[in-house]
Amino acid sequence: MLLNLAERDPAILLSSLYEALREDTDKVTLELLGPGMMIHDTALMLFEVLRNRPPHIHIHAHSHTCLSNGAVLIWLAADTRTIRADAWIQLCPIPKTPKPRRNRQHANYASGLPVEDEQPADTDLRTVMRHLDEWLPVSEIAGMRLFEKDLRDLALIEDSESDQNLAALFAGTAHS
């Protein structure tokens, strides 16, 4: 399934994803294309669909593009993943959480945030980062680009050469 991250209509992206998950298959390959940036809310919507897919569907995600923030979340929602050899992922710095203001009018809503205190994109980005923290040390890598070697070191992509060497070692045929 091709998922064009340049598509700005979330209904088209959602429809494409649902269609791929409805097919009579146990495996779906998600091919990520286009500039690897998404509106945070769209990424959160697609992430929820991927996370709540039927448990028998295995998803492999391959990114043909570099990924940023929410697009990384879509890639990570797959069971296995690969990325173009010279591509990278990046997380922007985490927006600071606004200090809660005591307001008697809204005292019953402890987790509420007055809309004038923060842009919606920052609220959504903080949610994206919270989800990304399941796979990545977000506080350490926010503001950085990570390349293929870094992604292997974080066990986010398979290292087929190391896997083959390890298999050969256990088979007793490892090369010295």
Side-chain angles (χ1 to χ4, degrees):
M1 176 217 165
L2 297 176
L3 190 64
N4 183 358
L5 302 178
E7 175 58 59
R8 294 294 176 214
D9 185 343
I12 291 172
L13 293 167
L14 185 62
S15 176
S16 298
L17 192 54
Y18 274 137
E19 186 177 320
L21 294 175
R22 275 191 216 114
E23 290 184 17
D24 188 23
T25 184
D26 291 341
K27 282 187 121 177
V28 173
T29 298
L30 187 59
E31 304 274 347
L32 302 175
L33 306 167
M37 298 175 166
M38 304 185 82
I39 293 172
H40 307 309
D41 187 58
T42 300
L44 290 166
M45 174 188 67
L46 297 175
F47 175 72
E48 181 176 291
V49 169
L50 289 168
R51 288 294 286 255
N52 293 315
R53 69 183 181 271
H56 71 278
I57 298 178
H58 177 276
I59 296 181
H60 174 79
H62 177 73
S63 182
H64 295 277
T65 186
C66 301
L67 301 170
S68 179
N69 300 324
V72 175
L73 189 59
I74 302 305
W75 182 70
L76 288 172
D79 300 299
T80 57
R81 58 201 72 79
T82 51
I83 193 166
R84 190 184 79 216
D86 62 346
W88 42 261
I89 68 168
Q90 80 174 27
L91 305 182
C92 68
I94 304 167
K96 294 183 193 268
T97 304
K99 289 186 176 186
R101 293 188 293 161
R102 297 285 178 212
N103 185 335
R104 290 185 339 156
Q105 180 182 0
H106 301 290
N108 294 332
Y109 304 99
S111 65
L113 180 66
V115 295
E116 63 271 4
D117 286 353
E118 181 175 64
Q119 294 296 316
D122 287 343
T123 304
D124 290 343
L125 178 57
R126 215 178 6 273
T127 303
V128 165
M129 294 298 186
R130 200 168 44 251
H131 287 299
L132 287 171
D133 207 37
E134 293 178 37
W135 292 275
L136 297 166
V138 171
S139 61
E140 292 176 29
I141 65 171
M144 295 181 66
R145 287 193 180 127
L146 301 179
F147 294 87
E148 189 178 27
K149 182 187 178 324
D150 304 312
L151 300 174
R152 275 198 189 97
D153 290 347
L154 289 166
L156 297 177
I157 58 176
E158 297 174 11
D159 186 350
S160 59
E161 183 179 328
S162 293
D163 291 346
Q164 288 171 358
N165 288 341
L166 188 59
L169 178 66
F170 281 112
T173 60
H175 302 300
S176 300

